Amino acid sequence: QVQLVESGGGVVQPGRSLRLSCAASGFTFRSYGMHWVRQAPGKGLEWVAVIGDNGNKKYYGDSVKGRFTISRDNSKTTLYLEVNSLTPEDTAVYYCAKEGAFNNWYFDLWGRGTLVTVSS
Amino acid sequence: EIVMTQSPATLSVSPGERATLSCRASQSVSSNLAWYQQKPGQTPRLLIYGASTRATGIPDRFSGSGSGTEFTLTISSLQSEDFAVYYCQQYNNWPITFGQGTRLEIK
């Protein structure tokens, strides 16, 4: 079954860290760039980060640059997002998403998301 | 950063009628434009990529057009399941950016 399943979200205090995971199955994970996209409650979609198929290329949105780190383990078909120095503005559902075709950065497969709530 | 502006913010249309949603980019994105549908509590669903190519399994009542800075998503005859929020997304330049969304509601 082709799917992405995120985990690792939860309630965390400002300034703390979390590691989000996204387990992929049903497709050749190592052949696609992977992304994180987030959505604050009641708001629109915000692209967060991308990692190339072999991990060689990484880009970040301005709001998370320097605080978030994207990585992947192709042997485990898993994508990660290390989120540090969290603020209430980082509260959102975090989706992992697969690029539609090699180096074409639209998203044809999304996970159900994991909710990160930053609150004291 | 390329700013994507969608209009209108909310569109009220009766079932069976046509809906036209607009998306404008602050600079050219060529044809690197995608459209997504999101229903409450659900994950976004890819509808259109390359400005006009329907994704797998998307009904042909959905069509996309445009290039450069002006894009349109047309739903030819609205079904009850089409009432949702629609987002455009450019993937021509980093960072990838989304429009703020258009809410399509039943009139």
Side-chain angles (χ1 to χ4, degrees):
Chain A
Q1 184 179 1
V2 180
Q3 64 177 1
L4 299 168
V5 179
E6 302 93 337
S7 60
V11 180
V12 61
Q13 293 179 326
R16 303 299 291 265
S17 301
L18 277 177
R19 189 196 202 197
L20 308 182
S21 299
C22 170
S25 59
F27 65 97
T28 308
F29 180 75
R30 65 179 181 274
S31 296
Y32 293 93
M34 296 294 296
H35 300 249
W36 288 97
V37 178
R38 69 183 181 181
Q39 186 170 35
K43 302 297 184 184
L45 301 168
E46 179 188 11
W47 176 78
V48 172
V50 60
I51 186 167
D53 57 336
N54 62 7
N56 60 336
K57 171 186 70 181
K58 301 177 184 181
Y59 295 114
Y60 299 91
D62 288 343
S63 63
V64 307
K65 203 174 297 184
R67 299 188 300 122
F68 290 12
T69 302
I70 191 171
S71 61
R72 66 190 296 162
D73 185 335
N74 285 346
S75 68
K76 296 181 179 178
T77 66
T78 302
L79 175 72
Y80 303 100
L81 186 69
E82 193 82 31
V83 297
N84 299 310
S85 303
L86 285 163
T87 73
E89 289 68 40
D90 296 315
T91 295
V93 174
Y94 285 74
Y95 298 103
C96 66
K98 167 187 165 293
E99 67 182 15
F102 181 70
N103 271 352
N104 277 268
W105 309 303
Y106 58 89
F107 314 122
D108 67 347
L109 178 66
W110 298 65
R112 297 177 65 88
T114 187
L115 176 62
V116 173
T117 303
V118 183
S119 174
S120 54
Chain B
E1 170 175 317
I2 296 177
V3 177
M4 306 301 293
T5 302
Q6 292 185 241
S7 61
T10 303
L11 182 62
S12 299
V13 182
S14 300
E17 293 189 342
R18 172 187 297 255
T20 302
L21 289 67
S22 296
C23 176
R24 173 177 292 178
S26 61
Q27 65 188 74
S28 177
V29 299
S30 186
S31 294
N32 295 313
L33 190 285
W35 290 94
Y36 301 87
Q37 176 194 68
Q38 188 177 32
K39 298 178 182 179
Q42 295 188 18
T43 293
R45 174 194 183 196
L46 176 67
L47 300 174
I48 301 284
Y49 62 93
S52 61
T53 303
R54 273 189 302 277
T56 302
I58 301 304
D60 60 7
R61 64 179 182 273
F62 290 90
S63 63
S65 63
S67 66
T69 62
E70 300 284 344
F71 301 89
T72 301
L73 175 69
T74 302
I75 311 171
S76 61
S77 178
L78 280 164
Q79 308 296 305
S80 58
E81 62 266 28
D82 299 336
F83 292 95
V85 178
Y86 291 82
Y87 295 96
C88 62
Q89 173 229 335
Q90 70 80 19
Y91 53 97
N92 194 64
N93 291 74
W94 302 110
I96 292 167
T97 48
F98 291 89
Q100 80 281 15
T102 289
R103 182 178 305 277
L104 182 57
E105 63 178 29
I106 301 174
K107 187 174 183 179

